[in-house]
Amino acid sequence: DTEVTQTPKHLVMGMTNKKSLKCEQHMGHRAMYWYKQKAKKPPELMFVYSYEKLSINESVPSRFSPECPNSSLLNLHLHALQPEDSALYLCASSPGTGAIPYEQYFGPGTRLTVT
Amino acid sequence: KNEVEQSPQNLTAQEGEFITINCSYSVGISALHWLQQHPGGGIVSLFMLSSGKKKHGRLIATINIQEKHSSLHITASHPRDSAVYICAYQRGAQKLVFGQGTRLTINP
């Protein structure tokens, strides 16, 4: 299985809602990532988990809360979002971290609309 | 100034043409990635390279470490190659630094 899956594919939420995005991989990868991508822009890194521990937080507002319950699963909890948070949220994984660079495997993304 | 410069930003060609997309960067890197993104879709990793040249089907990626430059070539282009192609470099193992992407359209 060389796939990263993300659910849901689309999400519409109000500014007072709480929702979660889910990402799963069964490749035995030990690093997982959340990216945010606005239209016609490259992805922006949000968070990196390495061996289930948060290793990078790119100064993301606290209304985004990541969680890595186990090595295969990554969640992004959303609360009190703003319309400008509407974007494609991409999850990725890679075999590991360290001095050696690894290829990243991306999921199909969740398209989020905040109303 | 972007840390990764891609050119051209947009490219339209006819089916069958040879395509070249260029990527320049200004720092020492561990690896250079080429990624493909179809409209509304997720991202697919095409190549990761640290030196020389890699080939996969009709796609070829080259890198010149001394000149800090990489190219992605597509031979015998096809409409299904229409996508955004993104160059990204990696320093250390984790963070990718992305270019702005090249939007490629191949007309039948």
Side-chain angles (χ1 to χ4, degrees):
Chain A
D1 185 355
T2 59
E3 194 180 36
V4 176
T5 59
Q6 289 188 244
T7 54
K9 287 189 177 178
H10 301 274
L11 178 63
V12 179
M13 61 184 289
M15 289 190 284
T16 58
N17 291 160
K18 284 186 182 181
K19 297 285 185 184
S20 296
L21 310 184
K22 179 180 169 182
C23 172
E24 204 160 0
Q25 57 87 15
H26 296 287
M27 295 178 277
H29 289 177
R30 304 317 300 266
M32 296 185 78
Y33 311 77
W34 279 117
Y35 291 91
K36 173 183 176 179
Q37 187 179 28
K38 301 285 272 186
K40 300 193 177 182
K41 295 289 186 184
E44 300 170 34
L45 183 65
M46 300 174 73
F47 302 104
V48 181
Y49 272 83
S50 177
Y51 292 87
E52 301 164 45
K53 288 187 167 33
L54 183 65
S55 62
I56 295 178
N57 176 342
E58 291 284 304
S59 303
V60 178
S62 60
R63 57 185 184 268
F64 296 91
S65 175
E67 179 196 19
C68 188
N70 59 59
S71 60
S72 300
L73 189 55
L74 184 66
N75 298 320
L76 186 63
H77 302 297
L78 314 172
H79 174 55
L81 294 194
Q82 304 295 311
E84 59 265 27
D85 296 321
S86 298
L88 181 68
Y89 287 84
L90 292 159
C91 173
S93 70
S94 65
T97 61
I100 302 171
Y102 290 100
E103 197 169 351
Q104 290 189 17
Y105 294 74
F106 286 82
T110 293
R111 188 160 300 281
L112 173 68
T113 303
V114 181
T115 60
Chain B
K1 185 182 188 302
N2 289 337
E3 294 180 69
V4 183
E5 294 284 346
Q6 282 188 240
S7 63
Q9 290 185 15
N10 295 281
L11 177 57
T12 299
Q14 291 300 120
E15 183 172 356
E17 286 188 39
F18 182 81
I19 302 299
T20 295
I21 299 170
N22 295 300
C23 174
S24 296
Y25 52 92
S26 54
V27 297
I29 65 172
S30 306
L32 192 290
H33 299 253
W34 282 102
L35 309 163
Q36 179 195 57
Q37 186 170 31
H38 281 101
I43 291 173
V44 174
S45 177
L46 298 175
F47 296 102
M48 184 184 77
L49 63 166
S50 304
S51 64
K53 176 178 174 178
K54 286 190 175 181
K55 184 174 189 287
H56 185 253
R58 295 180 294 106
L59 301 178
I60 303 165
T62 63
I63 188 167
N64 184 319
I65 295 293
Q66 286 73 28
E67 295 188 3
K68 295 184 170 58
H69 181 269
S70 177
S71 293
L72 176 69
H73 305 285
I74 305 174
T75 62
S77 60
H78 190 276
R80 66 174 173 267
D81 297 325
S82 298
V84 175
Y85 292 84
I86 305 170
C87 163
Y89 72 68
Q90 195 167 15
R91 302 185 76 186
Q94 293 187 341
K95 184 173 176 175
L96 294 179
V97 178
F98 295 89
Q100 293 298 306
T102 294
R103 189 170 301 274
L104 175 65
T105 303
I106 304 296
N107 292 320

